[in-house]
Amino acid sequence: MAGRPATGRAAAGRAPSGKAASGKAAKVTAPRLSPVRLEELRDEPSPDFQRGERYDGLRFSRADADGLELSGTDFAECEFGGVSFNETQLRGATFRDCILAEVYAPVFTAARATLRDVEISNPRWGSAELYESGWTSVRIDGGKLDYVNLRGSRLTDVQISDCIINELDLGSVTGTRVALKNCTIGTLDLAGAKFKDFDLRGTDFRTISGLESLAGVVIDDYQLSLLAPLLAAHLGVVVL
């Protein structure tokens, strides 16, 4: 979708972008994001991470948590700067009121984790297993992600912006007020997902699977032109 043409988007007889054919403005509810404000954090230069423990009000800078078993661990009002979580087991972990900046993980394992009021900036994840997670008021800005598996997760008030994702699996996700803004996505899987106010406008994608789950997804007219051949094939329509 790179190199979007500047003309042809207001052709005669076509409803203006962002408006329904009836002339009424389309209503899309944006994610309701609460800013994370952390004060009086205590620096933890050499953290001794332990499974199932609670960490509250701490700042971790360039810490190494590679390969640790941290299932069920609870992080509240913590800041992570350049922390490495490669092959760390974070299954069922909780992050509340946390900021994660430049977190590094070629293999990121956090299935069934809970994220609430979390800001993530410039992550570098390879394979991210995040299936059956619960995300509420989560923002991801920037970064490059190879494979993100959120299958079966519940996403509420989530925004991912300016991010490059090779493969994003949202199969069987329940999503409310989710926005992908100015992202570049190779493969987007929506099979079995249920959405309300899922804003995909402005995001480039190469292919989408799960076309039967597009209800509740908001796209722009250019994206519709790209989806038209896929939709025709899906419906068995022959275009001559």
Side-chain angles (χ1 to χ4, degrees):
M1 290 175 58
R4 180 178 300 187
T7 61
R9 295 172 63 91
R14 178 183 299 174
S17 178
K19 293 190 177 182
S22 65
K24 295 181 180 179
K27 294 182 180 180
V28 184
T29 304
R32 300 165 182 168
L33 299 169
S34 302
V36 179
R37 295 186 175 91
L38 303 178
E39 300 178 357
E40 299 182 0
L41 298 180
R42 304 188 307 278
D43 289 318
E44 187 63 71
S46 301
D48 181 21
F49 293 117
Q50 297 293 326
R51 176 178 181 175
E53 293 294 323
R54 176 185 171 93
Y55 299 88
D56 197 338
L58 298 174
R59 178 184 290 112
F60 307 104
S61 299
R62 304 295 171 186
D64 184 350
D66 292 350
L68 297 181
E69 171 56 75
L70 298 179
S71 297
T73 302
D74 187 357
F75 297 98
E77 297 185 7
C78 289
E79 179 180 302
F80 301 80
V83 174
S84 181
F85 280 118
N86 187 34
E87 296 187 346
T88 306
Q89 181 56 256
L90 288 163
R91 185 183 183 90
T94 299
F95 294 84
R96 292 178 292 110
D97 297 292
C98 288
I99 295 175
L100 292 83
E102 299 182 352
V103 171
Y104 174 78
V107 178
F108 189 53
T109 306
R112 297 175 179 165
T114 298
L115 280 67
R116 180 180 292 273
D117 296 320
V118 172
E119 295 180 0
I120 303 172
S121 61
N122 295 312
R124 294 295 186 271
W125 299 342
S127 175
E129 294 292 344
L130 303 164
Y131 58 86
E132 298 177 6
S133 296
W135 290 19
T136 303
S137 187
V138 175
R139 183 200 308 267
I140 299 179
D141 291 318
K144 186 175 182 180
L145 315 176
D146 187 15
Y147 170 65
V148 180
N149 179 8
L150 280 163
R151 181 169 288 270
S153 295
R154 183 174 294 274
L155 310 179
T156 305
D157 297 314
V158 173
Q159 178 175 297
I160 303 175
S161 58
D162 302 304
C163 190
I164 299 173
I165 307 174
N166 288 339
E167 184 174 354
L168 177 58
D169 188 348
L170 299 179
S172 300
V173 158
T174 299
T176 303
R177 296 183 300 278
V178 177
L180 302 179
K181 302 174 70 67
N182 302 318
C183 293
T184 300
I185 299 175
T187 300
L188 177 60
D189 188 349
L190 305 177
K194 296 180 180 179
F195 295 114
K196 181 179 180 182
D197 292 318
F198 178 30
D199 194 349
L200 195 59
R201 292 174 299 174
T203 280
D204 295 341
F205 52 83
R206 185 175 65 249
T207 185
I208 292 181
S209 58
L211 296 176
E212 68 282 358
S213 299
L214 282 174
V217 176
V218 181
I219 60 175
D220 59 38
D221 53 357
Y222 182 73
Q223 290 169 321
L224 178 59
S225 70
L226 294 180
L227 280 174
L230 296 175
L231 290 169
H234 176 71
L235 295 171
V237 175
V238 178
V239 180
L240 298 178

